[in-house]
Amino acid sequence: MALLKILQYPDDRLYTVAKPVTKVTDATRALIRDMAETMYAAPGIGLAATQVDVHERIIVIDLSETRDGLLVLINPEFVRREGEVVREEGCLSVPGIYENLTRAERICVRALDENGIPRELEAEGLLATCIQHEMDHLEGRVFVEYLSQLKQTRIRAKLIKRRRETL
Ligand code: K1U
Ligand code: ZN
């Protein structure tokens, strides 16, 4: 297993639209293991392949306290989105920035699991928010893009300054 480098906003590669996985192979499963290890080490509750510069439609999520409840979504698609809820979000590609965003309250997604088997999943609460956040990454969208231009400019400047100071 390997720890992967997480792209940091405003890296242009975060704006890449990921391609569907055509066949779930051992190589896909090896990538999923590395993504999970990277997410646990960060630590985070979700990670999209886009964030580790792999532009395939793969997401890992684990909301469990014990970190043994890995959810894998390959080629996820929305079946339903209902209601609206405001929740605070963070992002491993935008470290230290937490902002309130409005998203669907309940969702149903269709996706392949790590064995290539199609599944449907109903989600609400933090899981629904996290799935939507990660699906945005696969579309090349970062959560800060929902904020005002002023906030985006401030976040960009803050992260660039912080990075310069840690070099
Ligand atoms: O996509 C990512 O960068 C992962 C992100 C997922 C997410 C969090 C909150 C709302 C929506 C999506 C994170 O994991 S940020 C870190 C975080 O939330 C966390 C870290 C340690 C313990 C618990 C939570
Ligand atoms: Zn994120």
Side-chain angles (χ1 to χ4, degrees), residues 43-46 51 88-92 130 133-134 137:
I45 56 172
Q51 293 176 275
E88 189 174 74
E89 298 190 21
C91 182
L92 298 175
C130 192
H133 176 112
E134 303 308 336
H137 276 305

Side-chain angles (χ1 to χ4, degrees), residues 35-55:
M35 285 175 60
E37 191 187 6
T38 304
M39 172 187 71
Y40 290 131
I45 56 172
L47 191 71
T50 308
Q51 293 176 275
V52 293
D53 203 20
V54 176
H55 302 286

Side-chain angles (χ1 to χ4, degrees), residues 6 39 42-48 51 60 63 67 87-94 97-98 103 126 129-131 133-134 137:
I6 299 176
M39 172 187 71
I45 56 172
L47 191 71
Q51 293 176 275
V60 295
L63 298 189
R67 313 299 265 159
R87 198 180 299 281
E88 189 174 74
E89 298 190 21
C91 182
L92 298 175
S93 295
V94 195
I97 306 291
Y98 292 87
R103 297 210 190 249
L126 180 58
T129 300
C130 192
I131 292 173
H133 176 112
E134 303 308 336
H137 276 305

